[in-house]
């Protein structure tokens, strides 16, 4: 049973990353109509920023949680201003191709300087050790990642679904021209949205740094799993992305316990099953 | 929403004549390669990728479907052909048939799963499916995991042509490439190809005209996958191995890149693109990971600056369809 709970926890952690990343993809897709293939590379950049902060500047994990998403978010906004904005009105496929190219550049540069092996990033002192819950031993850091991710996801949901700013955002997703006519600066909102989505990816990168080590290709395979998550859950609803992300993480964790050989593929197999049963994905909206 | 190619010209007798002239020039140029001192293995490899890119282009350029998992056809056909030749001891022609058939079957299965979803979702699904296959091949015993299948016997095609002789192999690969190319060319200019283009331009309208667009897209997808598999089977004789790199997502990305550089929806673009990218990899091999960076830069430059690609820009300048 200990092993089962441990794998469930790993599943919840992976689920946190799926949720944070697919949430960002959904937010970006809503505003920019682009599937951000660079999301995995920007997740990796978040982890590297945390690594640089600690090793070059002596700035600790807690500051990295704030600084890394901001730095990567600004980088993302520069990308949006200099490149992505020129794709408005073109076929969606060009967005995918452009961001794939950006991902290759970013990952290639980091691989060139840091190779393919992992760099260690230690768990902050305050989160070291573990708690005995009676039925299992819970490493504090892992519990923290799950709870913190959940809070960030729900905060993002609240921001988009319940605030004035979120209302503008949703309105601009539906009809940008009309929203502009009301005097709202839609291009700036698009830039900020991309920054927000990318910042979420970077935050996930910082969270994963102490668990998975910091590697140039840490996001390359992850992004493909997240695409499958997005196909399963659809990009129509924010809450849908969060729930699908966590649920798939847990299912993956259970697979690791019951049938480890399939743990790499279970999300893809589930995607196939969902597509066969309900071709439009779980949350409906046909694309 | 603007279409992928904004200046599709109607097929006229003159355009057909132009294209046949270019095809003849290409065939002659490729036929004299062994006598020019150019390294034949480089050209053979490029020809396999050129056919692969042409097959991919049939889907995106004429059907508007961006498959981000076309490496799965290349890799699957490669593994099956390699296994058939080495373990079952089949003759080369049967090895090619078995590998290509495996790709066709894969096309049927993955097409059934993915074809109902459009646009960006189709791309993500094909990418995820190819990643699923990647992990299956990583774990399956017959692929020998990280090592791949090596030392594949080349044998005698039809019992006559000794494929271990580079010159013979070169012409066999060339004939295979030209045959595949003509099949694609014929498909594009057939009534089926016209319906496909209409689906790319405006699917709802094609549906309202009574076409069962899913069936057309499915057929295009299977045909594209089968031809990509054929290229993968040919490649086994050139490289004499089948490995995981051929199924990896980065290979799918390279196929997209070749077609994009040459020109999406152009007839000769994918061939030019394949030669450019393979040559680039050859010359820049010493630069390690910078090759990936350069590929990324080319992607960005193509999307932002010249979406028509090399051949597409040329055709636009000359006001011809190429």
């Amino acid at each position: 049973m200990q092993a089962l709970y441990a794998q469930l926890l790993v599943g919840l952690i992976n689920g946190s990353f799926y949720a944070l990343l697919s949430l960002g993809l959904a937010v970006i897709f809503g505003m920019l109509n682009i599937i951000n293939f660079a999301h995995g590379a920007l997740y990796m950049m978040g982890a590297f920023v945390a690594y640089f902060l600690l090793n070059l500047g002596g700035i600790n994990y807690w500051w990295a949680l704030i600084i890394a998403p901001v730095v990567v978010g600004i980088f993302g906004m520069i990308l949006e201003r200099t490149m992505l904005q020129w794709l408005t009105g073109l076929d969606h496929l060009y967005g995918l191709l452009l961001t794939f190219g950006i991902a290759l550049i970013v990952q290639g540069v980091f691989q060139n300087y840091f190779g393919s092996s992992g760099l260690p990033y230690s768990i902050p002192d305050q989160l070291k050790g573990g708690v005995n819950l009676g039925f299992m031993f819970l490493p504090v850091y892992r519990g923290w990642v799950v709870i913190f991710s959940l809070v960030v996801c729900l905060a993002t949901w609240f921001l988009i679904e319940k605030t004035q700013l979120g209302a503008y955002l949703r309105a601009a997703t539906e009809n940008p021209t009309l929203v502009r006519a009301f005097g709202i600066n839609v291009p700036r909102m698009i830039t900020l949205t991309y920054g927000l989505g990318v910042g979420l990816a970077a935050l996930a990168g910082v969270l994963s740094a102490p668990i998975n080590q910091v590697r140039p290709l840490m996001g390359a395979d992850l992004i493909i799993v997240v695409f499958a998550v997005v196909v399963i859950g659809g990009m129509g609803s924010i809450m849908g992305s969060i729930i699908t992300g966590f649920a798939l993480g847990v299912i993956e964790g259970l697979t690791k316990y019951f049938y480890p050989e399939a743990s790499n593929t279970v999300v893809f197999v589930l995607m196939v099953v969902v597509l066969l049963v309900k071709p439009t994905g779980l949350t409906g909206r046909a694309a | 929403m603007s279409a992928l190619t904004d200046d599709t010209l109607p097929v006229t007798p003159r355009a057909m004549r132009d294209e046949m002239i270019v095809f003849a020039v290409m065939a002659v140029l490729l036929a004299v390669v062994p006598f020019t001192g150019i390294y034949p293995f480089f050209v053979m490899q490029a020809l396999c990728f050129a056919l692969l890119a042409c097959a991919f282009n049939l889907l995106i350029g004429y059907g508007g479907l961006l498959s981000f998992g076309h490496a799965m056809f290349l890799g699957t056909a490669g593994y099956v052909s390699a296994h058939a030749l080495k373990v079952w001891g089949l003759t080369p022609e049967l090895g090619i048939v078995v590998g290509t058939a495996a790709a066709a079957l894969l096309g049927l299965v993955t097409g059934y799963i993915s074809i109902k979803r459009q646009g960006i979702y189709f791309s993500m699904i094909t990418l995820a499916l190819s990643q699923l296959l990647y992990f299956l091949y990583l774990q399956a015993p017959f692929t020998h995991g990280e090592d791949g299948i090596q030392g594949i016997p080349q044998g005698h095609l039809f019992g006559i042509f000794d494929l271990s002789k580079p010159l013979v192999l070169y012409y066999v690969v060339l004939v295979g490439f030209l045959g595949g190319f003509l099949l694609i060319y014929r498909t594009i200019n057939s009534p089926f190809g016209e319906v496909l283009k209409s689906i790319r331009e405006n699917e709802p309208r094609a549906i309202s005209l009574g076409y069962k667009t899913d069936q057309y897209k499915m057929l295009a997808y299977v045909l594209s996958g089968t031809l990509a598999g054929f290229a993968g089977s040919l490649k086994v004789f050139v490289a004499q191995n089948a490995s995981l790199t051929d199924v990896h997502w980065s290979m799918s990305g390279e196929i997209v890149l070749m077609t994009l550089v040459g020109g999406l929806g152009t007839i000769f673009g994918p061939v030019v693109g394949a030669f450019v990218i393979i040559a680039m990899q050859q010359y820049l091999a010493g630069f390690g990971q910078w090759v990936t960076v350069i590929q990324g830069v080319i992607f960005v430059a193509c999307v932002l600056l010249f979406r028509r690609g090399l051949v597409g820009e040329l055709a636009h300048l000359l006001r011809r369809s190429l």
Side-chain angles (χ1 to χ4, degrees), chain B residues 53-72:
Chain B
C54 286
F56 169 79
N57 185 43
L58 173 65
L59 202 54
I60 172 122
Y62 298 93
L65 292 166
L66 171 61
S67 157
F68 228 104
H70 246 49
M72 65 182 159

Side-chain angles (χ1 to χ4, degrees), chain A residues 56-81:
Chain A
L56 302 179
I59 297 165
N60 68 22
Y61 174 84
W62 303 102
W63 283 107
L65 273 183
I66 301 165
I67 297 172
V70 171
V71 169
V72 178
I74 291 171
F75 178 71
M77 288 193 267
I78 294 171
L79 290 181
E80 198 279 329
R81 281 287 88 193

Side-chain angles (χ1 to χ4, degrees), chain B residues 243-254:
Chain B
S243 67
L244 279 171
T245 42
D246 288 350
V247 215
H248 197 246
W249 56 263
S250 55
M251 180 60 78
S252 295
E254 276 176 28

Side-chain angles (χ1 to χ4, degrees), chain A residues 90 111-112 221 261 279 287, chain B residues 1 117 121 139 249 289-290:
Chain A
L90 289 174
Q111 246 189 312
N112 211 53
D221 285 337
E261 289 82 1
Chain B
M1 199 60 50
R117 298 296 292 273
Y121 279 97
Q139 289 167 354
W249 56 263
Q289 283 308 319
W290 289 115

Side-chain angles (χ1 to χ4, degrees), chain B residues 30-259:
Chain B
L30 288 170
V32 298
V33 158
F35 309 103
T36 55
I38 299 172
Y39 189 48
F41 277 97
F42 160 74
V43 184
M44 281 192 269
Q45 207 194 354
L47 283 175
C48 293
F49 278 103
L51 181 55
L52 182 60
C54 286
F56 169 79
N57 185 43
L58 173 65
L59 202 54
I60 172 122
Y62 298 93
L65 292 166
L66 171 61
S67 157
F68 228 104
H70 246 49
M72 65 182 159
F73 298 112
L74 176 78
T76 299
Y79 272 133
V80 172
S81 285
H83 189 75
L85 291 168
K86 194 177 176 187
V87 181
W88 298 341
L90 292 188
T91 55
E93 58 277 13
L94 283 177
I96 293 175
V97 169
V98 173
T100 310
L105 188 67
L106 181 68
L108 278 172
V109 175
T110 55
Y112 182 75
I113 296 165
S114 60
I115 214 79
K116 286 173 210 142
R117 298 296 292 273
Q118 274 130 39
I120 219 77
Y121 279 97
F122 175 80
S123 306
M124 290 196 284
I125 293 167
T126 46
L127 176 62
L129 288 172
S130 76
Q131 187 78 347
L132 171 61
L133 271 167
Y134 176 83
F135 283 118
L136 288 181
Y137 288 140
L138 183 65
Q139 289 167 354
F142 89 99
T143 62
H144 300 282
E146 304 276 353
D147 299 333
I149 305 178
Q150 292 173 347
I152 295 152
Q154 287 165 310
H156 289 65
L157 187 72
F158 303 119
I160 310 168
F161 303 109
D162 183 1
L163 296 180
S164 60
K165 289 190 177 137
L167 195 64
V168 178
L169 182 61
Y170 179 81
Y171 283 106
V172 168
V173 171
L174 179 58
V175 168
F177 164 74
L178 293 176
F181 185 90
L182 283 177
L183 180 63
I184 292 170
Y185 183 70
R186 182 72 191 84
T187 307
I188 292 166
N189 290 312
S190 68
F192 169 76
E194 296 299 327
V195 177
L196 214 54
K197 283 174 223 168
S198 80
I199 295 173
R200 176 194 69 191
E201 297 300 323
N202 193 333
E203 184 163 357
R205 191 173 292 169
I207 294 172
S208 77
L209 288 171
Y211 291 108
K212 294 197 166 66
T213 56
D214 275 359
Q215 288 178 8
Y216 280 87
K217 289 195 287 184
M218 180 74 182
L219 189 54
Y221 181 80
V222 175
L223 186 61
S224 170
T226 309
L227 282 164
F230 178 57
S233 290
L234 283 181
K235 190 172 159 293
V236 164
F237 293 93
V238 179
Q240 283 186 272
N241 70 36
S243 67
L244 279 171
T245 42
D246 288 350
V247 215
H248 197 246
W249 56 263
S250 55
M251 180 60 78
S252 295
E254 276 176 28
I255 300 169
V256 180
L257 182 61
M258 288 169 187
T259 315

Side-chain angles (χ1 to χ4, degrees), chain A residues 24-34 169-170 172-174 193 235:
Chain A
L25 280 182
V27 173
I28 291 172
F29 186 73
M31 278 299 271
L32 285 86
N33 269 321
I34 280 176
L169 207 84
R170 280 176 288 132
T173 305
E174 292 294 324
T193 307
M235 286 185 289

